[in-house]
Amino acid sequence: MNPFKYGQVVQDKDFCQRPDLIKRLSEVITKGQNVYVQGERRIGKTSLICECVRQLKKHRLIYIDLLEVKETDDFIKRIISAIVSMEQKGGMVERILKKLAHIRPTISFDPLTGMPTIGFDETIAFSQDSIHGVLDLIYSYHTKQRSIVVVFDEFQDILNLKDAKEILAVLRSKVQFHSDVSYIFSGSVRNKMVEIFTYPDSPFYKSATSLDVGPLDQDNFRAFLKKKFNKGKREIAPEVWEKIFEISAHVPGDIQQFCDALWDITSEKEHITLEHLPKALESIFAHEFKGYETTLKIISGQQLKVLTGLARMGGKAPTSAKFAKGLGGIATSSIQKAIERLMDLKIVFYFEDEYRFTNPFFRAWLLYKNL
Ligand SMILES: Nc1ncnc2c1ncn2[C@@H]1O[C@H](COP(=O)(O)OP(=O)(O)O)[C@@H](O)[C@H]1O
Ligand SMILES: [Mg+2]
């Protein structure tokens, strides 16, 4: 069976240890402090947080995912669902139903998996005013013996809400009041997280310490992955590792996806060499090309030119004369505009003095297609 996992939270044996980050986060949690965790997509933030709480054993996690949240009503429902999900793990779903009786929730169990899903009375729409209530409900679970850890994941998406500022203010006041509960705010869109936590006019200004999650230590991660290949009786040539990390832009989730593809195209006792890489990439492209093509449909010819330029020449100096010349002499102001659009579309992002592809395999595909 393919041992590589990506596109999901990894924990326990599937989690390659990151002792320094786990140690720092554990300290924050056990002291009941608040922290905002930032790092790129698929770098391992959610896994780090879940694994850390798992290792702490005496803490319980309330995990609220705010990815693409757009309405206040939905925001509140996600918090309630997170509480239900925690109760389910403790086998106490009835208890939560009692506590929430006034909003008439219904719980149904998926016949296949037994997982509960919560249904809400359609006539009830939650507004800002309900935030106090649901956060107090969370707090009612907090005891000295079993501390609660509240995680708001993809927290930057709270800015999508129309009344974001007011909601942030209410949230902040509650978080401050629950001084012995650790709140973790995790986010992958750096500039928005910075806006929330470091702008003086933001309600969350100076409300939490920060924790940066970068790539995994390369030697550690490589040993972790190598073991998986070896268990499946596959050997990897040393120079292949360098390439895997480079093509995947050192992003753990993408590295695991690449290993997954390499595994799939090889069999037991095979020695994996550089020659296997194109085939592994092709198998990734075969899964993903529809998404790539959709992306191409929504950008202009000029933007595509700049994008392929970034793929070929890298994103360190796209407004330099050299880069413009490489594109056949496009005005630098047009390049800048195209890049802004590509960033809005989240096709590229800017980090550490460089424009980078959100999906490194998309970059590889552009080069492969010679677009
Ligand atoms: N510590 C780790 N050990 C092994 N793989 C990891 C680790 N952290 C992240 N990954 C890989 O990255 C993927 C995405 O991790 P996730 O925690 O969801 O990232 P994020 O929340 O930053 O987007 C995982 O499915 C896994 O493939
Ligand atoms: Mg995540």
Side-chain angles (χ1 to χ4, degrees), residues 24-40:
R24 263 206 66 202
L25 191 56
S26 304
E27 279 168 10
V28 166
I29 293 174
T30 47
K31 285 184 188 151
Q33 293 172 341
N34 307 323
V35 61
Y36 69 100
V37 176
Q38 49 175 355
E40 309 319 319

Side-chain angles (χ1 to χ4, degrees), residues 97-163:
L97 283 182
K98 252 193 219 147
K99 284 193 176 179
L100 292 173
H102 58 292
I103 54 167
R104 297 191 291 280
T106 51
I107 300 238
S108 51
F109 292 88
D110 182 286
L112 211 61
T113 59
M115 300 270 279
T117 39
I118 184 163
F120 296 93
D121 183 333
E122 292 286 320
T123 58
I124 297 178
F126 295 101
S127 67
Q128 267 187 53
D129 312 334
S130 312
I131 297 177
H132 286 284
V134 289
L135 292 183
D136 283 342
L137 178 60
I138 288 182
Y139 195 59
S140 72
Y141 286 96
H142 182 70
T143 62
K144 271 220 158 65
Q145 292 74 30
R146 277 298 336 244
S147 297
I148 290 286
V149 181
V150 185
V151 177
F152 285 98
D153 208 353
E154 301 299 345
F155 187 61
Q156 76 278 327
D157 283 1
I158 202 166
L159 296 176
N160 293 339
L161 304 177
K162 258 197 256 87
D163 42 359

Side-chain angles (χ1 to χ4, degrees), residues 115-268:
M115 300 270 279
T117 39
I118 184 163
F120 296 93
D121 183 333
E122 292 286 320
T123 58
I124 297 178
F126 295 101
S127 67
Q128 267 187 53
D129 312 334
S130 312
I131 297 177
H132 286 284
V134 289
L135 292 183
D136 283 342
L137 178 60
I138 288 182
Y139 195 59
S140 72
Y141 286 96
H142 182 70
T143 62
K144 271 220 158 65
Q145 292 74 30
R146 277 298 336 244
S147 297
I148 290 286
V149 181
V150 185
V151 177
F152 285 98
D153 208 353
E154 301 299 345
F155 187 61
Q156 76 278 327
D157 283 1
I158 202 166
L159 296 176
N160 293 339
L161 304 177
K162 258 197 256 87
D163 42 359
K165 196 136 196 192
E166 291 81 2
I167 289 185
L168 281 171
V170 178
L171 209 55
R172 168 76 208 259
S173 69
K174 276 288 159 194
V175 165
Q176 216 163 11
F177 203 66
H178 300 165
S179 59
D180 47 349
V181 174
S182 173
Y183 281 86
I184 302 177
F185 307 94
S186 178
S188 27
V189 184
R190 214 168 270 274
N191 55 347
K192 289 193 178 166
M193 291 295 279
V194 165
E195 185 182 326
I196 296 174
F197 289 95
T198 68
Y199 284 13
D201 62 343
S202 164
F204 268 80
Y205 177 56
K206 288 194 173 167
S207 62
T209 55
S210 78
L211 183 75
D212 246 59
V213 180
L216 279 149
D217 174 76
Q218 188 162 338
D219 292 339
N220 240 358
F221 197 29
R222 183 170 147 167
F224 171 89
L225 298 165
K226 193 162 173 274
K227 237 193 232 156
K228 293 186 187 284
F229 276 113
N230 294 159
K231 261 200 180 150
K233 301 201 172 57
R234 287 154 168 88
E235 286 293 330
I236 296 211
E239 64 275 17
V240 176
W241 285 112
E242 286 303 319
K243 282 278 171 207
I244 294 175
F245 278 75
E246 193 187 319
I247 296 170
S248 314
H250 297 266
V251 178
D254 298 325
I255 293 169
Q256 288 235 35
Q257 186 181 355
F258 206 156
C259 290
D260 169 275
L262 268 174
W263 175 284
D264 276 347
I265 59 149
T266 51
S267 37
E268 283 193 4

Side-chain angles (χ1 to χ4, degrees), residues 309-320:
L310 290 173
R312 273 187 290 117
M313 295 181 273
K316 284 222 161 86
T319 50
S320 64

Side-chain angles (χ1 to χ4, degrees), residues 10-23 26 47-48 51-52 54-55 215-225 256:
V10 287
Q11 281 182 275
D12 205 357
K13 288 199 178 60
D14 293 319
F15 183 87
C16 173
Q17 286 309 316
R18 330 182 73 167
D20 296 347
L21 285 174
I22 291 272
K23 182 163 176 271
S26 304
S47 301
L48 173 78
E51 172 64 11
C52 190
R54 191 191 70 82
Q55 287 185 13
L216 279 149
D217 174 76
Q218 188 162 338
D219 292 339
N220 240 358
F221 197 29
R222 183 170 147 167
F224 171 89
L225 298 165
Q256 288 235 35

